[in-house]
Amino acid sequence: MTDAIKIDVWSDIACPWCYIGKRNLEKGLAEASTDDNAPRVEVTYHSFELSPDTPTDFEGDESAYLAQHKGISADQARQMLERVTGVAAAAGLEYRFDLLKHTNTVKAHELLHFAKEQGRQLDLAERLMSAYFTEGRHLGRDDELVSLATDVGLNAADAREALQSGRFLPAVRTDQAQAEAYGINGVPFFVIDGKYGVSGAQPAEAFTQIVRQVWAEHRESVEA
């Protein structure tokens, strides 16, 4: 049997382009799945903190954060948010920056590693990004994270223990070290079969094209 294509995705749940990239990846893979000899693909998410120095309770809205973080005016920050909201809408996502609660994301990354151990990482990644960008949920707080974990079928007590023990923090740091080794300094970043790097929220068609190409390479190696 031809081995599955492995796609490793470095992202941050607080990265608006990462959610757009996630949706475009899913659309691209869905298109390729209709092929007669459809590619088999395994997707794994990895931790990347865009702003690890962000406090759990950031004072101000998202435009204030952008202005402070990027050294731009409040008006420029609002224009950036309007642009990304439009791109998100084209991907089928309704961003609500008026509700968004900017926060530190390390705990969310720890929870994603717990979910990976339980076989629910992809479900939780979707739930966290939806909660953050469209529902205004506070993803820096354990109670909120545990609630979202239960939404995808994870045990509340186990999720809370995973967060409070810190036992998944080393896995987060390992992901970040691997990103540094790859030279990744922005997300989303997709590594396909450990040899092809795709940067940014590419359109769905780009993902369809590359998985078809890589799947053909897999088949050729089996037949050789």
Side-chain angles (χ1 to χ4, degrees), residues 184-215:
I184 299 170
N185 52 27
V187 288
F189 196 93
F190 307 82
V191 177
I192 301 170
D193 272 355
K195 58 182 180 179
Y196 299 113
V198 178
S199 178
Q202 299 295 323
E205 298 79 13
F207 291 115
T208 304
Q209 181 180 353
I210 195 166
V211 295
R212 283 174 173 162
Q213 173 193 325
V214 174
W215 189 241

Side-chain angles (χ1 to χ4, degrees), residues 4-212:
I5 298 169
K6 298 188 184 305
I7 300 182
D8 293 284
V9 186
W10 270 263
S11 73
D12 192 348
I13 61 96
C15 162
W17 295 104
C18 291
Y19 198 11
I20 294 167
K22 179 180 185 295
R23 191 60 86 245
N24 288 348
L25 172 65
E26 291 163 350
K27 290 178 180 176
L29 295 182
E31 177 63 26
S33 73
T34 65
D35 294 353
D36 288 339
N37 190 339
R40 291 192 305 111
V41 180
E42 296 174 0
V43 179
T44 302
Y45 278 83
H46 299 275
S47 303
F48 190 101
E49 291 179 89
L50 280 173
S51 51
D53 56 344
T54 300
T56 299
D57 296 297
F58 178 79
E59 296 295 332
D61 60 14
E62 187 68 0
S63 60
Y65 166 76
L66 278 177
Q68 176 181 313
H69 188 69
K70 293 184 175 293
I72 59 178
S73 70
D75 190 52
Q76 288 174 310
R78 282 191 292 272
Q79 289 176 14
M80 287 179 65
L81 294 179
E82 287 174 7
R83 174 173 173 260
V84 74
T85 298
V87 176
L93 301 169
E94 186 181 353
Y95 280 6
R96 292 293 305 272
F97 286 110
D98 57 320
L99 301 177
L100 188 147
K101 295 177 175 60
H102 199 85
T103 187
N104 189 288
T105 60
V106 69
K107 286 285 189 179
H109 285 296
E110 291 179 62
L111 191 65
L112 280 167
H113 279 280
F114 164 70
K116 179 182 177 183
E117 184 181 79
Q118 304 297 313
R120 305 307 296 269
Q121 188 197 45
L122 297 183
D123 296 326
L124 185 65
E126 175 65 28
R127 186 68 193 97
L128 294 181
M129 288 182 174
S130 175
Y132 188 77
F133 284 108
T134 74
E135 300 169 34
R137 304 281 288 271
H138 195 315
L139 269 60
R141 296 173 178 166
D142 286 3
D143 286 349
E144 198 82 292
L145 289 169
V146 169
S147 175
L148 294 167
T150 63
D151 286 350
V152 300
L154 294 167
N155 179 273
D158 291 344
R160 189 175 299 278
E161 184 278 331
L163 290 169
Q164 294 181 347
S165 68
R167 62 189 175 94
F168 288 98
L169 184 58
V172 174
R173 300 305 182 218
T174 296
D175 276 356
Q176 293 169 330
Q178 183 63 67
E180 186 174 352
Y182 277 145
I184 299 170
N185 52 27
V187 288
F189 196 93
F190 307 82
V191 177
I192 301 170
D193 272 355
K195 58 182 180 179
Y196 299 113
V198 178
S199 178
Q202 299 295 323
E205 298 79 13
F207 291 115
T208 304
Q209 181 180 353
I210 195 166
V211 295
R212 283 174 173 162

